[in-house]
Amino acid sequence: MPLHALGDKPFVRGPPLAFPSPTSAMENGFDHTPPGRRAPLATTLSPGSLHSAAHSPLDTSSQSLCQPRAEKRGARGAHEARYVSARQSAVCGWWAFAPRCLQVLNTSKGVLFFLCAAAFLQGMTVNGIINTVITSLERRYDLHSYQSGLIASSYDIAACLCLTFVSYFGGSGHKPRWLGCGVLVMGVGSLVFALPHFTAGHYEVAADAGVRTCPADPGAACADSASGLSRYQLVFMLGQFLHGVGATPLYTLGVTYLDENVKSSYSPVYIAVFYTAAILGPAAGYLIGGALLNIYTDVGRRTELTTDSPLWVGAWWVGFLGSGAAAFLIAVPILGYPRQLPGSQRYVVMRAAEVQQLKDGGRGAASSPGFGTTLRDLPLSIWLLLKNPTFILLCLAGATEATLITGMSTFSPKFLESQFSLSASEAATLFGYLVVPAGGGGTFLGGFFVNKLRLRGSAVVKFCLLCTLVSLLGILVFSLHCPGVPMAGVTASYSGSLLPEGHLNLTAPCNAACSCRPEHYSPVCGSDGRGYFSPCHAGCPAAAQTSADGQKVYQDCSCVPQNLSSGFGHAAAGKCTSTCQRKPLLLVFIFIVIIFTFLSSIPALTATLRCVCDPQRSFALGIQWIVVRILGGIPGPIVFGWVIDKACLLWQDQCGQQGSCLVYQNSAMSHYILTIGLLYKVLGFLFFATAYFLYKPLSGSSDGLEASLPSQSSASDNATDTQLQSSV
C-alpha cells in the first residue's frame, strides 16, 4: 500500500488533497505573483492535476492534507487537491497581537531556541537541583533514602498519568499552546517545592560545645527528638508531581513539533541540540545547587556550623524560586508560536518515506488525515503500536536505560560523597563537572553521528547497540571502591581492631564517664587518622581552639592515642579526608559510562520516530514515555534508594526513632550498584540487539527522495516536486 503524507490533522475537513503549486512564480520559497493575478484560495482542482494557486509569505505553510482513495477505486485513482489557507495559523503572536517584528522568530531555529530554554530549565530543576539537595532534604526533614526516591519518582508518576492524554490529543492539537501551558505548570511546581522552607520554621540544631563534648550536658539528652518534619515529604511529592505534569508535553509534543517542521536529515541534529540542552540543564543544576549549598539555609542567620559539618543544611530552596520565575518568562514566547511553521509542508513526503513498512491492513486507516483525532481511534492506535515489535523493543531498551539514569543521577552525588569523604556541595559540584561534558557531549554527538554518517533504519539501532556494549563494559568499574575511613565504634574498635559488620559499640572505657548521647552526631577526625562520632565520644574536653583556617581543634582527647608522646591526642571538627588512590580511575570510567549512555539517546529516539507511521509519532512517543517511566523512571530512584539504605552502617538516633543514614559502607554500596548496573545494561543490550534483527525498513531508500525535495532557500526543483507528489 502506498505511503501518504499528512498535514496537521485539526485542519482536516474532507477528502481533498492540497500541495503548494509547482508552477507558481516562486523565489526562495515565496510567491512574487502580483495580487491581481493570484488564483483564489481553496480552489478545487480537476482530478490528477494541481491548480496554480500562489500565496503570500505568510501562506507558505498552507496545509498539506492527504486523503487516500478508497481501495475499491484502485491504486491509480486520481486525487483531488485544494489549498487551505494557513494565513492566521502561521503567524507568530498571541491571538490578535502579532506584530511583524516577531515574525523573525517564526522559524524552526526560533522554536528550537525557546524549547531548548524550557528543556534546560526542566533538566536543571528536576534532574539537577533536586538531585543535588537530596542529602540536605534528608537531613533537614528527617527523610530516608527510599523516601527521597519516592520524591524523585513522583515526577515520573505524574508523567505516566498524563502522557496518554497529552500525546494523543496534543498530537492533533495546537502543540505550542500545550507546550507553553506545560512550562507554566512546571513553574508552579518549583514554587510548591520551595514552600516547606517558609512553613517549617528555622533550622534548629544543638551545636554548642556543652552538648557535643565530654562530659555531655544531661539536660540536652533529647534535644534532637523527632520533629515530625518528615510529613513535608508529601509537599515535595506534590511539587515533583506538578513538575512531571508540566514537562510531559515537552519531550513528546516538543520533539514531534521540531521533527515535522524541519528537513528529515536535519531532524536528528535539531533533536540532538534540544536534548543536549536538556542534559546541560542538570549539569548546571549540579553546579548551581552545589554553590547554593555553601549558603546557610536560613539566609541572614548566624550559625556555628560549618559547611564541613554533617549537620550543615544549605540554601536548597533558592534555586526553586529562580526556576519558578524563569518558567513563566519562557512560557510566554512558546505560547505565541503557530500550529505549524511557515514552509513545513515540503517535509511531509520525506518523513513518510522513512516509515517502517507495516504488514497489516490497519496502515491504511492510520494514514488517513482524520486518524487520531477522536477517542474512537484510540484502540486501533494502541493495537498498531503493540503489533510493532521494533517499537516495543525500543521502549523496553529505553526503560532499562532510564532505570540507571534516574537512579544514578539521583544518588551519584551521595555515592561520591561517601566514597571520597566529600561534603554535599563538593560532591554535587564534582558530579556536575562530569555531567557537563559527558552527558551534554554524548547527547549532541549522538545526533551528529546519525546525520554525519547518514544512518537510516536498522543502522541507527546498530549504533545504539554498540554504545550500550561499551557502557556495559565501563560499568564494571563499580567492582572497585574506595576504602572507608575507619570510624571508632562503627567500623573499628577504639583499640584499632576491625569490628564485625553490624556490631556497633560507641562506648569505651576512655569515654564511659562522659555520658555521651547517640543523638548528638558531630564527627571529628582524630590525629590518629580515625573518625569519631563526636568530640564527646573521642573523650575531648569542652575547651576547643580555632586554627588559622577557622577549623575547631579539640585538645587532650582521651580516646585519641598520641603518636609522639604518652599524652592524649587531638581531634579536628569534621570528617577525615579520603586518601583513595582509585579516585581518578573511578571518575574516568564513570565519565565513559555517562557519555556512551547518552550517546545512544538521540539515535534511539530517531529510530522510534522512524519505525511508526507519521500520524502516530506523537502518540508513539507518549506510549514510549509511559513504558519508560513505569518500568524505568519510577522504580529507578526507589530501587537505588533502597539499595543505598541497605549499605548504611550507622543510622541517626532521634531518641529511639530512626532518622537519616550517617555512615555508609563503601564496598557494599559499590557492589550493589554494580549488580543493578550489570543487570539493566545486559537487558538493554539484548533489547537493542533483537530490535536490530527485527527491523524491517522500506525496500526503497529515502535518500533520493530527500534530495529531490525543494529546500527552503530554493524552489528550482518544481518539476521533480510535481512528479514526486503525483507518485504519492
Side-chain angles (χ1 to χ4, degrees), residues 21-46:
S21 171
T23 58
S24 302
M26 301 286 290
E27 181 179 340
N28 295 330
F30 297 108
D31 181 28
H32 297 277
T33 305
R37 298 183 181 179
R38 297 178 185 173
L41 295 176
T43 303
T44 303
L45 306 182
S46 60

Side-chain angles (χ1 to χ4, degrees), residues 15-305:
L17 168 69
F19 283 108
S21 171
T23 58
S24 302
M26 301 286 290
E27 181 179 340
N28 295 330
F30 297 108
D31 181 28
H32 297 277
T33 305
R37 298 183 181 179
R38 297 178 185 173
L41 295 176
T43 303
T44 303
L45 306 182
S46 60
S49 65
L50 292 174
H51 190 81
S52 177
H55 41 276
S56 66
L58 293 179
D59 287 333
T60 56
S61 63
S62 298
Q63 290 303 116
S64 176
L65 307 179
C66 299
Q67 173 68 34
R69 286 289 191 186
E71 293 185 7
K72 64 181 181 180
R73 299 180 63 176
R76 298 181 180 179
H79 294 283
E80 291 184 0
R82 73 175 182 179
Y83 284 97
V84 178
S85 177
R87 178 182 298 274
Q88 298 299 326
S89 63
V91 176
C92 180
W94 302 271
W95 290 275
F97 182 73
R100 295 184 62 87
C101 60
L102 290 179
Q103 307 315 311
V104 69
L105 300 175
N106 196 19
T107 62
S108 58
K109 293 181 180 179
V111 171
L112 178 65
F113 174 80
F114 289 109
L115 289 183
C116 283
F120 181 88
L121 181 66
Q122 180 273 337
M124 182 185 71
T125 305
V126 176
N127 301 321
I129 297 179
I130 288 180
N131 296 338
T132 301
V133 304
I134 280 292
T135 303
S136 298
L137 293 181
E138 292 177 359
R139 190 175 300 149
R140 175 69 177 89
Y141 298 98
D142 303 330
L143 303 175
H144 291 184
S145 291
Y146 80 89
Q147 292 176 305
S148 302
L150 284 173
I151 293 173
S153 296
S154 298
Y155 173 87
D156 297 296
I157 293 173
C160 287
L161 295 177
C162 300
L163 269 169
T164 302
F165 175 80
V166 171
S167 60
Y168 188 75
F169 292 101
S172 58
H174 197 297
K175 292 185 180 68
R177 291 180 185 172
W178 282 82
L179 291 165
C181 292
V183 176
L184 290 176
V185 174
M186 195 164 56
V188 174
S190 295
L191 299 180
V192 170
F193 202 94
L195 188 61
H197 172 76
F198 301 97
T199 59
H202 295 299
Y203 178 47
E204 302 291 345
V205 56
D208 57 281
V211 172
R212 306 299 181 191
T213 56
C214 177
D217 183 4
C222 271
D224 296 336
S225 59
S227 59
L229 292 174
S230 60
R231 292 175 296 182
Y232 279 103
Q233 173 193 356
L234 299 177
V235 180
F236 293 130
M237 292 179 67
L238 175 60
Q240 273 287 72
F241 190 89
L242 293 175
H243 282 151
V245 172
T248 297
L250 194 57
Y251 296 103
T252 52
L253 304 183
V255 172
T256 54
Y257 188 69
L258 285 175
D259 185 61
E260 67 192 15
N261 284 287
V262 297
K263 192 176 181 180
S264 181
S265 60
Y266 295 162
S267 177
V269 178
Y270 273 73
I271 297 175
V273 172
F274 173 70
Y275 271 89
T276 300
I279 298 303
L280 292 179
Y286 283 113
L287 299 178
I288 295 173
L292 291 175
L293 290 183
N294 289 320
I295 305 173
Y296 188 57
T297 182
D298 295 324
V299 179
R301 294 191 69 193
R302 299 188 59 183
T303 179
E304 296 182 8
L305 297 175

